[in-house]
Amino acid sequence: MEPKKRFFTCDDAKDLDIVNFLSNLGFEPTKIRNQDCWYWSPLRLENTPSFKVNRKLNRWYDHGIGKGGNLIDFGILYHDCTVKDFLEKLGSATLSSATIKPFIPEVNNNYFPLIILNETNLKSARLLDYLNLRHVPLSVAQEFCQEVTYQVGVKTYNAIGFKNDSG
């Protein structure tokens, strides 16, 4: 008895996790930095891994050929086929027998919000030197900007800031 075929729509295919799909094809990342997984390109030979998958967006980009996109875009290049053919391959026993997981955006547990601790008139010598270096007149900076002390995680920083339209 022939295994039952699964029929994928374009939306179904776009919802599949690209990293998991590449793993099922035998490709593993050479490095992972933040939300980016870097690979040797599955689409061509290269000397340096330049194929990137962004886990947050579930999108790939091959820097060597200047192309990227979703899983369908990758599949039609990798298999050298049409969208229809790729969706059929995706539903075939060969590909669907491997566990193809849906894409679920990762929650960044290391997210630290920016917290504004204090706003004062510009006074820091370092920040005033920076304004001078950038040829920003002190009178203009004092009219529109303030010195902002803010915290990200456990670190505290000082910067030049100005309020946006929403305050």
Side-chain angles (χ1 to χ4, degrees):
M1 187 167 150
E2 192 174 305
K4 189 174 181 181
K5 263 189 166 181
R6 177 170 176 198
F7 294 97
F8 282 87
T9 66
C10 286
D11 287 337
D12 292 336
K14 289 176 185 176
D15 286 342
L16 297 177
D17 184 3
I18 295 174
V19 169
N20 178 254
F21 184 82
L22 289 169
S23 180
N24 288 332
L25 292 176
F27 299 101
E28 297 299 331
T30 60
K31 75 176 174 182
I32 300 172
R33 180 160 291 142
N34 298 323
Q35 296 292 329
D36 296 327
C37 296
W38 291 87
Y39 296 81
W40 293 101
S41 177
L43 303 174
R44 62 192 173 77
L45 294 175
E46 63 182 343
N47 295 323
T48 305
S50 65
F51 184 93
K52 176 178 76 169
V53 176
N54 181 287
R55 295 299 308 258
K56 185 175 182 180
L57 302 174
N58 197 36
R59 296 287 184 266
W60 65 275
Y61 187 80
D62 190 324
H63 290 271
I65 60 175
K67 291 185 179 180
N70 58 41
L71 182 66
I72 295 172
D73 300 316
F74 172 78
I76 61 176
L77 284 174
Y78 182 76
H79 291 289
D80 191 25
C81 62
T82 65
V83 172
K84 181 180 183 249
D85 292 339
F86 176 65
L87 293 175
E88 286 176 4
K89 284 181 188 296
L90 199 55
S92 74
T94 309
L95 286 180
S96 62
S97 63
T99 309
I100 301 175
K101 299 177 185 171
F103 171 68
I104 301 169
E106 292 182 355
V107 176
N108 184 353
N109 293 330
N110 295 328
Y111 172 74
F112 298 106
L114 183 141
I115 302 167
I116 296 176
L117 302 173
N118 191 21
E119 299 173 37
T120 62
N121 293 331
L122 291 168
K123 62 182 182 233
S124 165
R126 184 179 56 81
L127 295 178
L128 294 173
D129 287 345
Y130 175 78
L131 289 170
N132 188 41
L133 178 71
R134 303 298 296 168
H135 304 288
V136 176
L138 185 58
S139 60
V140 172
Q142 287 176 329
E143 182 179 348
F144 295 102
C145 301
Q146 290 193 307
E147 187 168 325
V148 180
T149 304
Y150 65 99
Q151 181 177 357
V152 179
V154 296
K155 293 189 176 185
T156 302
Y157 305 91
N158 281 24
I160 299 169
F162 59 92
K163 290 187 180 184
N164 61 20
D165 292 341
S166 65

